[in-house]
Amino acid sequence: MTMNEKERIEKLKKFIVPSKSNWQEEVRWRKENRDRLRLSAQIAARVLTVIKKRGMSQLQLAETMGVSAQQVSKILKGDANLTLDTIVKLQKCLDISLIKVPALVEPVYEPNTVSSKERTVSFELSFKEQFSSATVGEHIEPYGLPRISVSKVFKVALKKQGPSITTPCMAGENKFEKAA
Amino acid sequence: MKLETIFARNDDPAQGGVLAAIYGDGSELNAWDELLKRLNDAEYLHEFFSDREKLLHQQKNEIDTVETAIVRAQDEISDMGDFMDGLAVGKNHDDTYDRLRELFKPLNNQLYRHVDLAKEKARGRKHNRWLRVYAVRVTPNLYIITGGAIKIWHLMEQDETTRTELNKLNRMIDWLKDEGIIDATSFEGSEGL
């Protein structure tokens, strides 16, 4: 360090006060609770969008929900650890949907039925756990999953289960059996 | 004006570290704490992005809703917080200060190297990289954070929020001169872009 730099720092030190900040604890707490905080922020953002569109104040929202203005303020900051009760109240008071539990589907995947020579595929899809990405075809829609292209499902299903087969289905072809 | 230590090598800023300004304008929070608090506030971000919604649609990776923008901005500040925490944990190691110098760049994009006593900025490291943390570099290893913002436009002068941050940087420089910590001729006047 040069003499100038040393002198600079010595003069600067007079103005440094004892730290009261707990920023590291705050950052680490946020990291540990990241998923929950993300959801809280998304819910806050959605509620803010809705009340803004309707010209509703936070006080009016609090009165409708039967809670204090301070509680609504905390919710809208995006930090609150929302209970299901509070979320349901928000949904009812604003007539919106905030959270949903997607449908659970259990189709069966059997890679042996896939032919790499042919460009069409016929197999049953099985998901041992909830598969939030979509499966295909009109057979699957009754289970509440959205339709996506055949080739996408082909690649996704294979990633989850095992051997890679590079020949995708023809887009638009729907040879899938009804899910188990 | 006062300064608060964010972290310092061997707890001695003379050996390197990051300080943050306390302006005392009605708040005792230092500039780093204030930035963390502001950008973790969904309500603040909602108003911020709602007022600038047209700009969101002009982004490179077009952001279709205010709500998406809020999530991205919070991801950026979370990541910056984690990164700064990592630096603080390694405050007594040499490579921490290499990483600090890589994080902060001259505010003036025309400058390609660091100079002492310059205005500098750290950019967010995720998504659209909107986040800015502004600081004055006092020595090669010591920075004073003056504030920060979400910047979704080209020039700092284009929006009130970043104009405010530019004013804070200038205010810090003036204060350093007034207190005799730097002299009037020693400052590299890199204006904000």
Side-chain angles (χ1 to χ4, degrees):
Chain A
M1 193 181 291
T2 65
M3 187 54 70
N4 272 345
E5 284 169 7
K6 281 185 186 163
E7 285 170 1
R8 209 179 289 155
I9 307 292
E10 285 312 306
K11 287 181 186 174
L12 203 63
K13 278 183 177 179
K14 286 189 308 187
F15 299 97
I16 300 177
V17 297
S19 180
K20 291 183 202 169
S21 172
N22 63 343
W23 72 272
Q24 282 182 277
E25 287 89 338
E26 176 75 16
V27 159
R28 290 171 193 177
W29 175 80
R30 290 199 153 266
K31 188 174 182 176
E32 270 176 36
N33 293 281
R34 189 142 296 158
D35 291 342
R36 195 271 288 168
L37 285 167
R38 195 184 177 105
L39 265 176
S40 295
Q42 286 175 307
I43 289 173
R46 178 56 54 87
V47 172
L48 284 160
T49 298
V50 169
I51 64 174
K52 186 180 172 183
K53 271 195 180 138
R54 297 181 191 177
M56 193 181 199
S57 70
Q58 289 190 25
L59 185 56
Q60 285 171 318
L61 177 60
E63 285 168 358
T64 311
M65 289 176 69
V67 300
S68 69
Q70 287 83 355
Q71 191 173 351
V72 164
S73 176
K74 192 161 187 237
I75 291 169
L76 297 181
K77 294 278 179 214
D79 274 352
N81 192 354
L82 298 164
T83 61
L84 288 175
D85 188 49
T86 302
I87 293 172
V88 166
K89 265 188 197 164
L90 282 166
Q91 291 184 149
K92 276 188 173 164
C93 293
L94 297 174
D95 192 25
I96 59 174
S97 174
L98 288 169
I99 58 170
K100 239 187 206 175
V101 179
L104 183 65
V105 180
E106 289 196 16
V108 173
Y109 175 67
E110 292 182 5
N112 291 336
T113 63
V114 175
S115 165
S116 60
K117 289 181 186 172
E118 295 172 8
R119 300 220 13 118
T120 57
V121 173
S122 175
F123 58 90
E124 291 179 55
L125 290 171
S126 173
F127 304 101
K128 290 185 182 171
E129 56 195 36
Q130 183 179 314
F131 192 42
S132 60
S133 181
T135 184
V136 296
E138 68 264 15
H139 302 298
I140 308 302
E141 276 183 357
Y143 291 88
L145 295 175
R147 184 192 295 235
I148 61 170
S149 73
V150 170
S151 61
K152 272 190 192 169
V153 169
F154 185 89
K155 285 172 195 167
V156 169
L158 286 173
K159 263 188 215 170
K160 282 179 91 70
Q161 291 289 347
S164 65
I165 298 176
T166 57
T167 307
C169 296
M170 298 288 282
E173 295 224 27
N174 182 5
K175 302 285 184 184
F176 294 95
E177 299 286 330
K178 191 165 187 174
Chain B
M1 197 180 309
K2 297 176 216 165
L3 302 171
E4 194 167 348
T5 305
I6 301 304
F7 68 86
R9 187 171 194 151
N10 297 316
D11 297 327
D12 178 11
Q15 297 181 39
V18 173
L19 308 174
I22 302 175
Y23 297 104
D25 299 339
S27 169
E28 283 303 306
L29 284 182
N30 68 58
W32 171 240
D33 281 350
E34 189 279 332
L35 179 64
L36 288 174
K37 184 180 175 188
R38 179 163 30 106
L39 297 191
N40 279 312
D41 182 340
E43 191 177 0
Y44 167 83
L45 288 174
H46 193 275
E47 186 173 343
F48 176 88
F49 285 119
S50 296
D51 289 346
R52 296 158 180 86
E53 198 166 353
K54 278 186 189 165
L55 283 174
L56 287 180
H57 300 307
Q58 294 165 8
Q59 294 296 298
K60 207 187 276 187
N61 308 317
E62 187 186 329
I63 309 300
D64 55 355
T65 65
V66 164
E67 293 167 21
T68 306
I70 291 171
V71 170
R72 289 192 177 204
Q74 291 198 329
D75 281 351
E76 288 202 41
I77 190 64
S78 297
D79 178 74
M80 184 62 73
D82 293 346
F83 186 82
M84 200 65 84
D85 187 34
L87 294 181
V89 167
K91 63 186 180 181
N92 295 333
H93 301 142
D94 287 344
D95 68 339
T96 292
Y97 299 92
D98 294 334
R99 292 165 70 203
L100 190 59
R101 282 189 293 276
E102 281 168 21
L103 176 68
F104 282 98
K105 304 284 184 222
L107 189 67
N108 183 341
N109 292 330
Q110 306 303 315
L111 291 180
Y112 59 88
R113 60 178 178 85
H114 289 293
V115 291
D116 284 353
L117 302 173
K119 298 175 202 169
E120 299 221 338
K121 69 189 176 203
R123 288 183 70 181
R125 303 171 335 133
K126 294 189 81 152
H127 299 311
N128 293 64
R129 304 186 71 198
W130 291 326
L131 174 65
R132 296 291 183 276
V133 181
Y134 296 108
V136 169
R137 178 177 143 124
V138 180
T139 71
N141 290 334
L142 183 64
Y143 291 78
I144 303 175
I145 291 176
T146 58
I150 292 292
K151 183 169 174 277
I152 55 176
W153 41 84
H154 180 49
L155 299 175
M156 288 182 83
E157 288 81 359
Q158 281 177 251
D159 189 274
E160 172 203 350
T161 53
T162 41
R163 280 198 300 271
T164 300
E165 294 304 319
L166 192 52
N167 288 341
K168 286 184 200 169
L169 279 164
N170 290 332
R171 186 176 160 187
M172 174 59 68
I173 301 299
D174 289 342
W175 178 77
L176 290 169
K177 286 179 193 168
D178 289 346
E179 296 299 336
I181 296 168
I182 60 176
D183 60 59
T185 57
S186 60
F187 182 68
E188 175 69 30
S190 52
E191 290 307 318
L193 284 179

